[in-house]
Amino acid sequence: MNQVLFRTSRAVVYLALGVAAAGCAVKSNKPAPGAAGAPAQVQCQAAKAGDTAVGNWYGVHTQRGVAGQLHVLIRLKADGTMSYEEQLKRGKKPSQNLSETGCWQHEQQTLVLRTLKSNGEKVESDDPIYSNRYTIGSQTQTAMVLDGPQGQLRARRMPDGYRLPF
């Protein structure tokens, strides 16, 4: 009796392993990253001549659920390219950094940033997490207030070549 039960249990285990192995052998029809069928290269569109959003914008803010201060530098170039750098400072702990590049557009009172590379790696351009919309609350020659997905950012215009402080 025990011998029959042991053989049956062992057969069930082998059957389960066989099914699992067969599941691993199923071929996927999804193209590999970078393979044919991958989304086309996104081309940035130049900003309108005299667009006041062109420039380097620096701000510091806090975000609900994040311990520390976020230092943000947004570079908006006239050719439609942008870079977005964010540095989280938390007291004596080492800073954490995020660096994104891509395209930007100024649509009436909205600034749209579209990330194409994050920390040097290409991103899935159709993933909505890499497209951020900010409502421009106010803007002068030296300051801009942006309302976005993570709250409000009060930024001031910085000179060309400005870098985030360490």
Side-chain angles (χ1 to χ4, degrees):
M1 175 77 168
N2 283 341
Q3 217 173 21
V4 172
L5 183 59
F6 177 72
R7 284 184 190 151
T8 305
S9 298
R10 190 168 38 172
V12 169
V13 169
Y14 286 139
L15 179 63
L17 288 172
V19 169
C24 291
V26 173
K27 194 172 189 178
S28 173
N29 290 332
K30 286 186 178 181
Q41 179 84 14
V42 175
Q43 296 294 318
C44 299
Q45 300 296 315
K48 292 179 184 174
D51 191 323
T52 56
V54 172
N56 298 320
W57 300 94
Y58 170 72
V60 178
H61 70 105
T62 56
Q63 185 175 317
R64 185 183 189 119
V66 177
Q69 286 187 321
L70 292 163
H71 294 251
V72 177
L73 178 61
I74 303 171
R75 290 186 179 95
L76 305 176
K77 296 182 181 176
D79 65 358
T81 61
M82 69 89 187
S83 65
Y84 176 95
E85 296 174 44
E86 188 173 70
Q87 186 179 70
L88 174 62
K89 291 191 175 189
R90 302 172 298 155
K92 293 183 180 184
K93 294 183 179 180
S95 297
Q96 291 179 308
N97 299 304
L98 173 68
S99 177
E100 297 184 334
T101 57
C103 302
W104 72 279
Q105 290 178 302
H106 189 178
E107 301 170 353
Q108 297 169 352
Q109 284 302 108
T110 304
L111 186 62
V112 181
L113 304 182
R114 187 169 182 189
T115 300
L116 301 177
K117 286 187 175 182
S118 182
N119 290 330
E121 296 293 324
K122 288 183 181 179
V123 300
E124 293 181 27
S125 59
D126 58 342
D127 189 334
I129 195 169
Y130 296 112
S131 181
N132 292 288
R133 301 177 76 78
Y134 298 90
T135 301
I136 300 172
S138 65
Q139 182 181 358
T140 67
Q141 284 295 332
T142 59
M144 185 175 0
V145 177
L146 300 172
D147 292 312
Q150 291 84 26
Q152 190 176 78
L153 174 66
R154 294 179 179 275
R156 64 183 189 267
R157 188 180 296 272
M158 302 307 283
D160 289 340
Y162 181 80
R163 296 171 64 177
L164 282 177
F166 290 95

